[in-house]
Amino acid sequence: MSVRLKVPTQLRQLTGGAPELDVEAASIRELLEKVGGDHPELLERVLDEGGEIRRFVNLYVGDEDVRFLEGIDTPLKDGEVVVILPAVAGGQDPMPS
Amino acid sequence: MAQVRELRCRECDRTYAVAPVHVCEFCFGPLEPVYDYDAIAASVTRAGIEAGPRTIWRYSPLLPIGDGVERVDLGTGCTPLIKADNLARELGIKHLYLKNDMANPTHSFKDRVVTVALTAARAMGFTTVACASTGNLANSVAAHAARVGLRAFVFIPADLEEAKIITTAVYGANVVAVKGNYDHVNRLCSEIAQTMPWGFLNVNLRPFYSEGSKTLAFEVVEQLGWEAPEHIVVPAASGSLLTKVHRGLSELHRVGLLDTEPATSIHLAQAEGCSPIVAAFRSGIDHIRPVKPQTIAKSLAIGNPADGYYAARVVRKTEGTAEAVSDDEIIAGIRLLASTEGLFTETAGGVTIAALKRMAAAGAFQDDGRVVALLTGMGLKTAEALSGRLGPTVEIQPDLEAFRQALDFLDLEGPA
């Protein structure tokens, strides 16, 4: 089951600059465990010490915030896109062009 | 930006240089300006403020904009603080004041945050500004951008009140109606902000933008003769306004404009159909559980409030209360305010008045202290919420006899 994880700009330094990662995973938990294997610091930014999603981190599957689904146990289907965004409005901080 | 030294993360205290950044890159916590309060205290005086312009810019030492920066200003602020004795009698409140922010240039408190944010945006060199909005922010961004020739993109939920769409589009802004609720719009803006070099008010300009809300607290205190009220009732969407009102009160003491630390209880009002902050406050937990909004108070319909956690904490810390009110109570609140004080507020104001009523009944103001309720937006923008509920009292043929007969149906009990 291949899913795609979209990494926000603030965390890309932890993925070697990669904006997206393709991962074989059947749930958010498995996705994060696998990503955490290669990028432990990324995992640390997303989950707190108790293994819960951090207060200021939002995770989306498709259009839905996983807090409306089954949280970290939300199952994933083949081809689904998971997005990490800062909860405080989110986004990069572009400088003016 | 002389008086702002740096930006600091509210969660982990990491600091950042003053720039269009808004979240801590370590913990994603929100960033806030750090002021040199000692330097401000050394120069700011009540008399100096009173001699300033009749706008929020009279408080410029406590805003994140340096001296000499050209302001984007439509004349926002110094709105009336009205002693509301009729409504007070109706609700059993001893001393009630209404802060009428409907009197701002685009008729909501959002002008306060926008004049600050667009001034910062222009100083940073942005030529395009953008925002996610439930309507009032959209109006204000479009108007201020028009005034100074900035390009504006406003993103709104497609089901917004028609009046709010028209009153944005009229200024020539690009209005992008998104088929979804505000939380969908907000998320889309997050993703757009990663790809466009724009100043997003509620994204990368957020640390500057939200500071404008402090001026509501500053004005209330100045208008009460440089005294903090015992109670302030604040409607909450993201929760940012409430936290900034609290911060504004603390700052007045910090820079010596108030002799004592304000002991103001800050009370929070939400609509039942979107009350994640009230729920968090009541359950005593810090975590905000997002909800899917279902309320006529569309300007408060943020199901995943960015500052909800901090707002709940402020209410708890200041010994305030929190109430959630139904759509019927909102309508009743709008009508009660209009019929007692002659002020027509939008649905968010209906939430405030309805919550005020509940709080009074529950004994929240038993100290007989001064209660200030914030009326953040005006009724014409959401008049459609009342359609079908209000209309002519009677319809008659154009002759005197018809009118005489109709008098039987009219209210003859009221004032002559």
Side-chain angles (χ1 to χ4, degrees):
Chain A
M1 216 146 332
S2 181
V3 296
R4 175 161 291 180
L5 177 67
K6 288 181 136 181
V7 181
T9 43
Q10 291 92 343
L11 297 182
R12 284 180 201 164
Q13 72 210 44
L14 306 177
T15 60
E20 297 176 341
L21 300 171
D22 289 321
V23 186
E24 293 287 322
S27 71
I28 292 282
R29 185 183 296 279
E30 188 181 351
L31 169 73
L32 292 176
E33 279 168 2
K34 289 203 171 161
V35 170
D38 294 334
H39 312 285
E41 283 187 312
L42 180 67
L43 188 64
E44 188 193 332
R45 304 286 180 92
V46 174
L47 299 183
D48 66 19
E49 298 72 23
E52 296 293 317
I53 299 166
R54 286 187 184 276
R55 182 184 301 130
F56 290 101
V57 174
N58 285 349
L59 282 175
Y60 298 89
V61 176
D63 281 338
E64 200 64 279
D65 187 326
V66 299
R67 293 189 178 100
F68 286 119
L69 303 169
E70 292 167 50
I72 196 166
D73 293 313
T74 302
L76 297 172
K77 293 198 284 282
D78 197 42
E80 269 184 321
V81 176
V82 177
V83 179
I84 305 173
L85 282 176
V88 182
Q92 188 196 13
D93 297 305
M95 296 301 291
S97 54
Chain B
M1 299 194 181
Q3 58 264 53
V4 175
R5 290 194 311 225
E6 57 201 5
L7 302 177
R8 183 160 62 206
C9 174
R10 279 189 75 149
E11 287 293 296
C12 71
D13 287 335
R14 276 179 177 74
T15 57
Y16 297 82
V18 175
V21 295
H22 75 294
V23 292
C24 173
E25 57 188 44
F26 186 81
C27 74
F28 281 11
L31 302 184
E32 288 193 321
V34 178
Y35 294 83
D36 187 344
Y37 289 124
D38 291 332
I40 297 168
S43 62
V44 76
T45 62
R46 292 177 181 179
I49 288 170
E50 286 163 0
R54 288 202 53 78
T55 68
I56 70 161
W57 293 101
R58 70 209 272 112
Y59 308 105
S60 62
L62 288 165
L63 293 173
I65 307 291
D67 293 338
V69 174
E70 198 184 344
R71 293 165 188 163
V72 180
D73 182 13
L74 291 176
T76 293
C78 291
T79 57
L81 183 72
I82 299 157
K83 186 96 179 3
D85 291 335
N86 299 329
L87 182 60
R89 207 173 306 120
E90 198 72 34
L91 301 182
I93 298 172
K94 188 111 184 225
H95 304 290
L96 176 62
Y97 296 83
L98 302 171
K99 182 63 173 161
N100 181 12
D101 249 17
M102 306 189 266
N104 278 319
T106 71
H107 315 293
S108 86
F109 87 102
K110 290 292 186 187
D111 289 327
R112 297 177 184 277
V113 289
V114 171
T115 183
V116 174
L118 289 206
T119 297
R122 206 166 54 157
M124 291 171 181
F126 287 108
T127 53
T128 300
V129 292
C131 67
S133 174
T134 54
N136 283 323
L137 180 61
N139 286 176
S140 187
V141 168
H144 284 83
R147 171 82 173 182
V148 295
L150 288 167
R151 192 165 66 134
F153 280 82
V154 303
F155 297 82
I156 55 170
D159 73 344
L160 210 56
E161 294 94 345
E162 190 184 3
K164 282 188 173 160
I165 297 173
I166 291 169
T167 51
T168 302
V170 72
Y171 298 109
N174 298 291
V175 179
V176 184
V178 179
K179 292 175 183 171
N181 61 31
Y182 177 81
D183 297 295
H184 293 120
V185 177
N186 201 25
R187 180 191 152 187
L188 173 65
C189 285
S190 300
E191 297 193 82
I192 294 170
Q194 302 202 23
T195 61
M196 307 298 270
W198 295 350
F200 262 90
L201 273 82
N202 31 19
V203 186
N204 53 335
L205 295 173
R206 191 177 181 87
F208 308 95
Y209 153 89
S210 52
E211 286 286 288
S213 292
K214 296 188 306 191
T215 61
L216 259 167
F218 300 159
E219 287 181 20
V220 165
V221 168
E222 185 183 347
Q223 287 168 314
L224 289 174
W226 295 103
E227 288 182 24
E230 285 68 37
H231 302 275
I232 298 186
V233 181
V234 188
S238 75
S240 169
L241 170 61
L242 186 141
T243 58
K244 291 295 177 175
V245 163
H246 179 244
R247 179 162 167 162
L249 292 173
S250 306
E251 284 184 346
L252 290 177
H253 175 240
R254 178 69 185 79
V255 302
L257 291 167
L258 282 174
D259 298 331
T260 54
E261 178 81 32
T264 308
S265 293
I266 301 186
H267 305 265
L268 181 148
Q270 289 200 297
E272 243 171 42
C274 183
S275 52
I277 311 177
V278 175
F281 173 76
R282 287 194 178 146
S283 64
I285 54 163
D286 278 346
H287 192 73
I288 299 287
R289 277 188 76 84
V291 301
K292 306 264 181 190
Q294 237 357 298
T295 171
I296 58 169
K298 292 178 186 174
S299 61
L300 300 182
I302 298 182
N304 192 2
D307 289 295
Y309 159 71
Y310 294 115
R313 273 209 323 202
V314 164
V315 174
R316 211 171 285 143
K317 186 178 156 197
T318 63
E319 299 178 2
T321 60
E323 291 286 353
V325 298
S326 70
D327 284 355
D328 284 344
E329 287 177 274
I330 295 169
I331 300 289
I334 292 172
R335 297 181 65 174
L336 177 64
L337 176 70
S339 61
T340 55
E341 298 294 342
L343 295 171
F344 182 25
T345 186
E346 69 157 283
T347 44
V351 169
T352 303
I353 298 301
L356 181 71
K357 182 176 178 177
R358 280 199 187 203
M359 288 164 188
F365 315 128
Q366 271 175 339
D367 60 1
D368 285 344
R370 290 159 295 184
V371 180
V372 177
L374 304 185
L375 299 177
T376 50
M378 78 105 69
L380 287 176
K381 294 191 196 187
T382 62
E384 68 191 65
L386 297 169
S387 70
R389 296 182 189 246
L390 291 174
T393 312
V394 67
E395 188 171 324
I396 59 170
Q397 293 299 323
D399 71 64
L400 187 58
E401 188 49 36
F403 177 67
R404 285 210 172 107
Q405 284 177 17
L407 271 178
D408 292 340
F409 298 99
L410 296 176
D411 175 19
L412 299 179
E413 304 292 315

